[in-house]
């Protein structure tokens, strides 16, 4: 309700600046059960998203620590096809770069 959002297909990103008593960067990942009925498929997509995020989060995390900011990020997969890791990795990079630009302003 309180956060700001943007889309980068096949993801929707909701982010919110937090108070000082939280970690600098928090992330949550979600996949709709409406599009993926099997939990195995949802869990696979979330695993891909978490790994792509883990590999690329450092510039954003360093920027937040440098500016003493705290950010919560909620990433939702909105596509209806099982993605390949390359696509998830590329789009996650775009999302994290866009968040870095937003906090730099």
């Amino acid at each position: 309700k309180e956060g700001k959002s943007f889309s980068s297909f096949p993801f929707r990103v909701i982010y919110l600046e937090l108070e000082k008593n939280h970690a600098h960067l928090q992330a949550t990942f979600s996949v709709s059960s409406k599009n993926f009925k099997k939990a195995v498929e949802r869990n696979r997509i979330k695993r891909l998203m978490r790994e792509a995020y883990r590999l690329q989060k450092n510039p954003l995390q360093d920027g937040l620590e440098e500016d003493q900011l705290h950010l919560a990020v909620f990433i939702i997969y909105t596509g209806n096809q099982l993605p390949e890791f390359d696509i998830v990795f590329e789009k996650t990079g775009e999302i994290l770069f866009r968040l870095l630009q937003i906090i730099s302003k």
Side-chain angles (χ1 to χ4, degrees):
K1 291 181 180 182
E2 302 169 13
K4 297 176 184 172
S5 66
F6 63 88
S7 292
S8 177
F9 187 80
F11 297 106
R12 177 150 177 79
V13 180
I14 303 168
Y15 62 96
L16 176 66
E17 289 189 33
L18 300 172
E19 299 171 9
K20 298 264 187 229
N21 58 354
H22 295 296
H24 287 285
L25 182 60
Q26 297 176 347
T28 303
F29 304 92
S30 178
V31 180
S32 173
S33 60
K34 178 181 174 184
N35 294 335
F36 296 95
K37 302 295 183 196
K38 296 179 182 176
V40 171
E41 294 174 346
R42 292 192 303 274
N43 292 338
R44 168 119 178 107
I45 295 169
K46 286 189 279 188
R47 272 198 311 275
L48 294 174
M49 291 167 59
R50 282 193 297 263
E51 181 65 10
Y53 168 80
R54 183 187 70 81
L55 293 172
Q56 301 180 75
K57 72 178 177 180
N58 290 333
L60 178 60
Q61 195 167 24
D62 294 342
L64 288 168
E65 289 174 5
E66 183 179 301
D67 296 340
Q68 290 298 311
L69 297 173
H70 304 267
L71 190 68
V73 181
F74 185 50
I75 302 174
I76 305 166
Y77 182 78
T78 58
N80 55 12
Q81 300 286 327
L82 280 173
E84 294 292 325
F85 181 71
D86 297 338
I87 295 168
V88 174
F89 187 83
E90 178 185 333
K91 290 297 184 172
T92 302
E94 291 175 15
I95 288 168
L96 296 176
F97 181 73
R98 189 164 173 186
L99 285 170
L100 185 59
Q101 288 180 326
I102 289 169
I103 64 154
S104 297
K105 292 181 181 177

